[in-house]
Amino acid sequence: MRIGVDLLSISRFSRVSRHPRCRTLVFTPAELAEADGLCGERRAERLAGRFCAKEATAKVLGRGLGQGLGWRDIEITAGRWGAPEVTLRGGARRIAEEAGIGRIEMSLSHHGDFVVCVAAAAVGDAPSRA
């Protein structure tokens, strides 16, 4: 079992969430489309949650971003009922396959100015969506 946790201040992240270049370097078009359907503070909160989830996922993979995986190699979107779903591509998918990591599950929670994500994977699970 591998576990990754990340905690982030939404207000500190909000500047990044508004910067056009940073947005396209960190987030996939699907992640941005989900966030851009929300208003002001909710948009920043959504992107902060996605950023936090990417960090927690990188910890599950045992790598820092830039160490064989990029920000957009990890995509976090909302599933049918709103729960976060992880899709691994590129370097993240390769690292997961090499480590025997398949599906990654996670939970995101927002409270006040903070977002926390816990990500977990059992070695030998079926692969994350392609």
Side-chain angles (χ1 to χ4, degrees):
M1 172 69 72
R2 291 182 178 217
I3 299 172
V5 178
D6 198 61
L7 175 71
L8 181 65
S9 165
I10 298 166
S11 61
R12 288 190 67 197
F13 184 78
S14 66
R15 191 175 120 206
V16 172
S17 73
R18 291 188 308 267
H19 191 279
R21 175 99 169 113
C22 289
R23 287 169 51 98
T24 58
L25 286 174
V26 173
F27 300 106
T28 67
E31 290 167 330
L32 290 171
E34 284 184 358
D36 289 343
L38 303 171
C39 301
E41 289 182 24
R42 291 281 298 138
R43 180 181 305 122
E45 181 180 302
R46 171 66 60 98
L47 291 176
R50 294 327 189 224
F51 184 89
C52 190
K54 289 172 184 262
E55 288 279 357
T57 300
K59 291 172 183 174
V60 167
L61 296 173
R63 301 280 180 94
L65 290 151
Q67 296 176 334
L69 61 113
W71 289 109
R72 291 168 34 128
D73 289 350
I74 301 168
E75 182 177 71
I76 314 295
T77 53
R80 180 177 178 195
W81 302 106
E85 292 185 351
V86 183
T87 302
L88 302 178
R89 295 188 180 90
R93 186 164 181 86
R94 182 185 49 75
I95 291 164
E97 288 171 352
E98 288 172 2
I101 297 170
R103 196 175 68 246
I104 297 174
E105 298 291 340
M106 67 177 44
S107 179
L108 275 166
S109 186
H110 299 83
H111 181 73
D113 187 43
F114 292 96
V115 60
V116 64
C117 180
V118 176
V123 177
D125 280 351
S128 295
R129 297 180 303 138

